[in-house]
Amino acid sequence: MTLLAERTTTDAAADLEAAEVAVVPTGSTEQHGPALPLGMDHMAAQAFARSAADREDTVVLPTIPVGVSVHHRQFDGTLYVSAETFEQYVEETIASLAEHGVRKAVVVNGHGGNSGALRRAARTLRDEETAFAPPWNWWDSVEDVAADLFDEDGGHADAMESSLLWHIRDDLVQPDELEAAEAGASESWGESVHGAALGFDTIDFSESGAVGRPTQADPEKGEALFEAGADQLDALLDWLAAQPLEDCWARAHK
Amino acid sequence: MTLLAERTTTDAAADLEAAEVAVVPTGSTEQHGPALPLGMDHMAAQAFARSAADREDTVVLPTIPVGVSVHHRQFDGTLYVSAETFEQYVEETIASLAEHGVRKAVVVNGHGGNSGALRRAARTLRDEETAFAPPWNWWDSVEDVAADLFDEDGGHADAMESSLLWHIRDDLVQPDELEAAEAGASESWGESVHGAALGFDTIDFSESGAVGRPTQADPEKGEALFEAGADQLDALLDWLAAQPLEDCWARAHK
Amino acid sequence: MTLLAERTTTDAAADLEAAEVAVVPTGSTEQHGPALPLGMDHMAAQAFARSAADREDTVVLPTIPVGVSVHHRQFDGTLYVSAETFEQYVEETIASLAEHGVRKAVVVNGHGGNSGALRRAARTLRDEETAFAPPWNWWDSVEDVAADLFDEDGGHADAMESSLLWHIRDDLVQPDELEAAEAGASESWGESVHGAALGFDTIDFSESGAVGRPTQADPEKGEALFEAGADQLDALLDWLAAQPLEDCWARAHK
Amino acid sequence: MTLLAERTTTDAAADLEAAEVAVVPTGSTEQHGPALPLGMDHMAAQAFARSAADREDTVVLPTIPVGVSVHHRQFDGTLYVSAETFEQYVEETIASLAEHGVRKAVVVNGHGGNSGALRRAARTLRDEETAFAPPWNWWDSVEDVAADLFDEDGGHADAMESSLLWHIRDDLVQPDELEAAEAGASESWGESVHGAALGFDTIDFSESGAVGRPTQADPEKGEALFEAGADQLDALLDWLAAQPLEDCWARAHK
Amino acid sequence: MTLLAERTTTDAAADLEAAEVAVVPTGSTEQHGPALPLGMDHMAAQAFARSAADREDTVVLPTIPVGVSVHHRQFDGTLYVSAETFEQYVEETIASLAEHGVRKAVVVNGHGGNSGALRRAARTLRDEETAFAPPWNWWDSVEDVAADLFDEDGGHADAMESSLLWHIRDDLVQPDELEAAEAGASESWGESVHGAALGFDTIDFSESGAVGRPTQADPEKGEALFEAGADQLDALLDWLAAQPLEDCWARAHK
Amino acid sequence: MTLLAERTTTDAAADLEAAEVAVVPTGSTEQHGPALPLGMDHMAAQAFARSAADREDTVVLPTIPVGVSVHHRQFDGTLYVSAETFEQYVEETIASLAEHGVRKAVVVNGHGGNSGALRRAARTLRDEETAFAPPWNWWDSVEDVAADLFDEDGGHADAMESSLLWHIRDDLVQPDELEAAEAGASESWGESVHGAALGFDTIDFSESGAVGRPTQADPEKGEALFEAGADQLDALLDWLAAQPLEDCWARAHK
């Protein structure tokens, strides 16, 4: 398995020469209810990212572990940085990689709260023709699989996330707590009042910190999700590796 | 109809004393395909906002006309500012109003691209206990009505928007162009490749600039949408006016 | 009358192709004493801007309604953003227009407090050769006319402003309050102590919020001012339309 | 003469205990035509500031030598920083002084281009109740004297500035060049086209870099200006020393 | 071993209640010559940080893997962010932790280039009384041990770093390349010309990217370094745990 | 002696044409214990800078008097700006000079706290190929001389600084206070606890504000230091004047 950080600069020169794409795992360290560890999101991102580490045309960057999680701050252990700081941290990391010639990347993201910042970072990098680095949220890639496996409209520390982590780090799931997680969970994300999206913080609508039905989780479902997601990522990397760089840039005025 | 900008400072003193809430219309000036005017989004926001101008407990602010529309920049006439500048402009405007004692507001928003910035502005104002000012996207409040009226998975210059504008400014809709709008439209927003959301700019996936099925539009449907939305906004203002300010602030650590 | 926001992108393509110049109205929403509405400054800017809307070589942008008015914040209804935010908002709006090929503009400004920010925005746009967009303060263009009409050394909510608004929006002037405005007015702007300009806030030197002699106002004088100003703006647009773009940029080192 | 930088911290403790006010000289290093040195503005500020150094209630800070002079950049030797950087540099310097208990100051300014930034710095310091530090432009304090001495509508490297420098640093004035300065000078500052203030850079309207009639300068006139200005500054410091600090802060909402 | 990211929020509540101090590992991903992996610095920081994970009064945060390494950018594989972004990322992470009650921390740092930013972050956190979080550079704590073990004036990818990594990740050291590393190394950091510190980038003075004498490395020396450093860190945590928080804040004016 | 600020723009045109390098003196105004003036660091920088003023290939800029001294703020008279503001002030000043064709400079620095900011400014100017402007700390250039003259491990207001100032401004040294300075001094800079650098503020470890052994100072030693430093600076300027500009820029990727 080839992880950039484990290579010397000399070996990396060859890796980067051969590489068409990079994978940049991003997540968060934030409450995931009583059954899942705080690192859920960066662990998931890292696991998916490393599934690509055997590709000869891909380099995998270190995992960025703290993200945009201010909305979980009332729950113990949540760490966060501002959206702007996170955006800069990711954008500058990718820009520095681009100096070595790898200018296409997938940001493998494990945390929904990071999405806006990642979109803005990707836009800037693209508009300046530094790099093409779209974010890939693992859960978006397995929507169909999840719909078959679970009956929930989740969003956080739900059956989907619980299953996934059970597969990749079963030592860190506390199955006995899934009941408590669900008992205190909200059915869906946030709180809508006559069309206004309230629910600024998770604590505004969820007692346990979870959203969804975590008791539906099991590790086999997690394996199915992981395999499906890893396949999708692999296909995405194939696709991106084949894209000419000049086709990645923003289009000219109509 | 009471619009703050039309009042003297002396009269405004009484208005603000009586007011429980403010309404802040925000939109954009950006391409909406060949059938709708560039000002669609700020016109819609203004129309909804003004529907609240007869409420005695509500003051209506001037309309902020340019928003976060960089993704439409390849189409003629699109104006835009950065997300950060827009966020600051709205946040500071609301903070200045709060100095006069009105510290609850609804940001009546007509443009989806503004949403992230408006959420961040609302969070900051809330976390600093300056004001409670959640955004209200008009289309979110009429989802059910729209589902009955239209068969589309739209998102931009679609039947929903076209109908609404037809109702509020029928002089500015070009019915003859709805066919062209639809012919060049994409079915849904953006472009997903193995779970990655590509489609950074509208031009990446839509020829006409529209997304959805604008030919389904008519002004009666627009009236239905407008009435439903205005009712929702009215109910939201009732609800917000009744909220004690101290219940609006962020909750303490668990 | 051709206002950009009322045009479709398709029609705007032709408008922008034909256009030599743009007009960008900026103002404020701030106290103007007991006789004039808070929106005085953006209403004036909008009225002058729209006087140019029949020119075939000119596009008129939407009005930016909130400006640099912190110095009026102690008076009810005043809204404001920081000078930096206002500068960015205007500068980025003009830069986005320039992408469509119109790179000369006049910022028709109704509020003195905006001037510094507008000068800085214009300098940046010019130095980067993005656009040439000098501000035009309507009162500066009619100094001679005003000197004939009024005996005042005004500056805010004075006879000059009151007259102008009386002409363009007579429903919003409260003639009965002009006496009170003048009774509480200062004679001239600010407060000088041994050469130091004190008077940071209007409230430091004016009781009513006005500066000058508003009782001299009448709508005929307002019409004279408006006609004179509109003529000046028209002449300025003629002049600017005829300037080659390359003559607009900053000169090289001596 | 007591200059803060020449005192030890121990002695400064006593000086600052006794002090009611501080004097902060600011200027620029920028072209002043062929007859005056680049340091004209900071030299003038320093000279006026030091005229106050014998006051027992006053501490004099070091001179800040580079200011907001971008508009002179086409002329050799001009140095400049951005308005924002200059504003921060002055504001933070004054805030650091305030930590030692001296919270009233006069910014003795020698350069018109600094004025906007100094006003904003003073506003921030006042609004945050850190310090009250209005700028004092030496030329504003001697307007009447200058009107008697000179027949010019100057503004830069004119008879007024030339006379002053001749008095304070006669070794640095080149009398033989005053003719050339005037020959290439513009009559007044900038360039107005139908009410729009063009003339972004000095080079746009002045060949020699001067504005006004420098040949009217002589050192006796400079002495008269200096004495008058120093008297005004002395009176201002008397006035400011007597102001209770709580009267200096911004007033509450009306 | 207790790592915060591996704990649920519920368990973390107890951990944080019991904790006196936190450990925040920071490093970089940058060239370390032909014999050491790019991740050297964050791997070292992580190893030292985890040596504290068995302390009951200590929580260990996830490792921040990319730092201030612009000066290595000409060597393949180097990643970097700006000093300002890194400072913000670390500072905000620690501030978010402080919300859970742990307000003393040690930043266990593996990269010299991070030091300035970490000092500034620590100052801000201390001056605002958010947290007391001094950086601890592992090599500073073992200076005496290193002086006994090595005859070098190193600084980067030297015998000291090579030995340490050999001990903690022997699979990632390439002993055969230590000769090449040393052959292309400079003797000491940077380049001094008459007292001016030149050598902005490593490539300015080192061919291989190393500075020092890496051939002196061996894993036993690494073990000695690691044990000594871990002991120092343990003692530091003892000391910090015993410090009353109020003694950690900045002292008042003299 | 040729100081840029004392030259007219016309004369400066010739100076700048002839110049190969510039000298930019930077220092601070901050406590230096009971025996030395607050301006110690900018006075030293100015003295060294002016030693170069007779070189025909060198222009000397005005002295920047306030620097990064927050760590001395508890001692009376200390002035400071943030590291970021100082960095910008210096960087922009040098960039403005570069517009006149002089793109190599030495920042003659008198204050250790400025070093980080000066390094970052120099890096930015170099990476953007605006100017090559390395900082030169006078004490670094005379390390050997100082080692012969003094038996101290100083760092602030020590024998080295005291001697230097005694030589260049003997009217501002208070020899009687050197005992008190030393009695309250710390032996060396800061405070190390198990390898962590504590001692954020000078007051944390020094009673008098001094660090070192100031009683060893005398003016002859100061003369020796000054001569040695001035020689080093002269040699540095010779070296820099001879460097082709293209050799100064950052090197390309390996």
Side-chain angles (χ1 to χ4, degrees), chain F residues 6-90:
Chain F
E6 298 194 347
R7 305 286 283 169
T8 66
T9 183
T10 318
D11 293 339
D15 298 342
L16 293 160
E17 179 72 30
E20 284 293 330
V21 285
V23 166
V24 186
T26 62
S28 66
T29 301
E30 67 180 34
Q31 74 86 10
H32 276 78
L36 300 183
L38 295 158
M40 166 77 218
D41 290 353
H42 72 252
M43 291 168 183
Q46 183 163 292
F48 280 110
R50 292 191 175 187
S51 77
D54 293 329
R55 294 176 58 100
E56 297 210 343
D57 64 354
T58 303
V59 291
V60 178
L61 268 62
T63 303
I64 297 175
V66 178
V68 187
S69 306
V70 62
H71 49 297
H72 294 298
R73 72 194 185 282
Q74 288 93 350
F75 287 86
D76 280 294
T78 298
L79 304 178
Y80 65 91
V81 294
S82 68
E84 191 178 15
T85 295
F86 179 75
E87 177 185 339
Q88 284 304 115
Y89 194 85
V90 174

Side-chain angles (χ1 to χ4, degrees), chain F residues 50-250:
Chain F
R50 292 191 175 187
S51 77
D54 293 329
R55 294 176 58 100
E56 297 210 343
D57 64 354
T58 303
V59 291
V60 178
L61 268 62
T63 303
I64 297 175
V66 178
V68 187
S69 306
V70 62
H71 49 297
H72 294 298
R73 72 194 185 282
Q74 288 93 350
F75 287 86
D76 280 294
T78 298
L79 304 178
Y80 65 91
V81 294
S82 68
E84 191 178 15
T85 295
F86 179 75
E87 177 185 339
Q88 284 304 115
Y89 194 85
V90 174
E91 181 182 318
E92 295 175 19
T93 295
I94 295 172
S96 70
L97 179 72
E99 294 188 42
H100 308 303
V102 178
R103 298 171 71 188
K104 295 182 288 186
V106 172
V107 179
V108 171
N109 180 41
H111 173 50
N114 293 345
S115 296
L118 293 176
R119 294 292 294 174
R120 288 194 297 280
R123 167 173 294 285
T124 304
L125 290 165
R126 184 192 191 217
D127 283 354
E128 297 179 347
E129 301 195 352
T130 299
F132 183 70
W136 178 82
N137 299 321
W138 68 263
W139 59 92
D140 286 335
S141 77
V142 293
E143 273 186 359
D144 295 345
V145 181
D148 288 346
L149 295 172
F150 310 112
D151 174 28
E152 67 175 353
D153 173 22
H156 191 69
D158 51 10
M160 193 186 191
E161 284 202 310
S162 302
S163 298
L164 187 90
L165 198 80
W166 213 331
H167 172 62
I168 62 176
R169 285 295 302 268
D170 69 348
D171 58 318
L172 297 180
V173 176
Q174 301 194 7
D176 295 349
E177 296 291 331
L178 290 169
E179 289 280 0
E182 188 157 324
S186 60
E187 289 260 322
S188 62
W189 186 268
E191 181 189 357
S192 176
V193 176
H194 300 294
L198 305 183
F200 286 79
D201 291 328
T202 313
I203 204 172
D204 294 336
F205 52 86
S206 169
E207 191 66 27
S208 69
V211 177
R213 301 189 173 169
T215 60
Q216 297 178 13
D218 72 43
E220 288 71 33
K221 293 174 182 170
E223 183 173 12
L225 289 169
F226 184 76
E227 295 305 325
D231 285 351
Q232 287 285 80
L233 178 58
D234 198 50
L236 175 62
L237 292 168
D238 283 344
W239 176 86
L240 187 55
Q243 291 290 307
L245 189 58
E246 59 270 26
D247 292 358
C248 294
W249 303 141

Side-chain angles (χ1 to χ4, degrees), chain B residues 106-194:
Chain B
V106 172
V107 178
V108 171
N109 180 40
H111 172 49
N114 293 345
S115 297
L118 293 176
R119 294 291 293 175
R120 287 192 299 277
R123 167 173 294 284
T124 303
L125 290 165
R126 185 194 191 216
D127 284 353
E128 297 179 348
E129 301 196 353
T130 299
F132 183 70
W136 178 83
N137 298 322
W138 69 263
W139 60 92
D140 285 335
S141 77
V142 293
E143 272 186 0
D144 295 346
V145 181
D148 288 347
L149 293 172
F150 309 112
D151 175 28
E152 67 175 352
D153 173 23
H156 191 70
D158 53 11
M160 192 187 193
E161 284 202 310
S162 302
S163 297
L164 187 91
L165 197 81
W166 213 330
H167 172 61
I168 62 175
R169 285 296 302 270
D170 70 347
D171 58 317
L172 298 181
V173 176
Q174 300 194 9
D176 295 349
E177 297 291 331
L178 290 169
E179 290 279 0
E182 187 157 325
S186 60
E187 290 260 321
S188 60
W189 186 267
E191 181 189 359
S192 176
V193 175
H194 301 294

Side-chain angles (χ1 to χ4, degrees), chain D residues 3-252:
Chain D
L3 304 176
L4 184 67
E6 299 193 348
R7 304 287 282 170
T8 66
T9 184
T10 319
D11 293 339
D15 298 342
L16 293 161
E17 179 71 31
E20 284 293 330
V21 285
V23 166
V24 187
T26 61
S28 65
T29 301
E30 67 181 33
Q31 72 86 10
H32 275 78
L36 300 182
L38 295 157
M40 166 76 218
D41 290 353
H42 73 251
M43 290 169 183
Q46 182 162 295
F48 280 111
R50 293 190 174 189
S51 77
D54 293 329
R55 294 178 58 101
E56 297 211 341
D57 64 354
T58 303
V59 291
V60 178
L61 268 61
T63 302
I64 298 175
V66 177
V68 186
S69 306
V70 62
H71 49 296
H72 294 298
R73 71 192 183 282
Q74 289 91 352
F75 288 87
D76 279 294
T78 298
L79 303 178
Y80 65 91
V81 294
S82 69
E84 191 178 15
T85 294
F86 179 75
E87 178 185 338
Q88 284 303 114
Y89 194 86
V90 175
E91 181 183 316
E92 295 174 19
T93 296
I94 294 171
S96 69
L97 179 71
E99 293 188 44
H100 308 303
V102 178
R103 297 170 70 189
K104 295 182 287 186
V106 172
V107 179
V108 171
N109 180 40
H111 173 49
N114 292 345
S115 297
L118 292 176
R119 294 292 291 176
R120 288 193 298 279
R123 167 172 294 286
T124 303
L125 290 166
R126 185 195 192 215
D127 284 354
E128 297 179 348
E129 300 195 353
T130 299
F132 183 69
W136 177 83
N137 299 323
W138 68 262
W139 60 92
D140 286 336
S141 77
V142 292
E143 273 186 359
D144 295 346
V145 180
D148 288 347
L149 294 172
F150 310 111
D151 175 28
E152 68 174 352
D153 174 22
H156 191 70
D158 53 9
M160 192 186 193
E161 284 201 309
S162 302
S163 298
L164 187 90
L165 197 80
W166 214 330
H167 172 61
I168 61 175
R169 285 295 303 269
D170 68 348
D171 58 318
L172 298 181
V173 177
Q174 301 194 7
D176 294 350
E177 296 291 332
L178 290 168
E179 289 280 359
E182 187 157 326
S186 61
E187 290 260 320
S188 60
W189 186 267
E191 181 188 359
S192 176
V193 175
H194 301 293
L198 305 183
F200 286 78
D201 291 328
T202 313
I203 204 171
D204 294 338
F205 51 86
S206 169
E207 191 66 27
S208 70
V211 178
R213 298 187 177 172
T215 60
Q216 298 178 14
D218 71 42
E220 287 72 33
K221 293 175 183 172
E223 183 173 15
L225 289 169
F226 185 75
E227 295 304 326
D231 285 352
Q232 287 284 81
L233 178 58
D234 197 50
L236 175 62
L237 291 169
D238 282 344
W239 176 86
L240 187 55
Q243 292 289 306
L245 189 58
E246 60 270 25
D247 291 359
C248 293
W249 303 142
R251 289 174 56 181

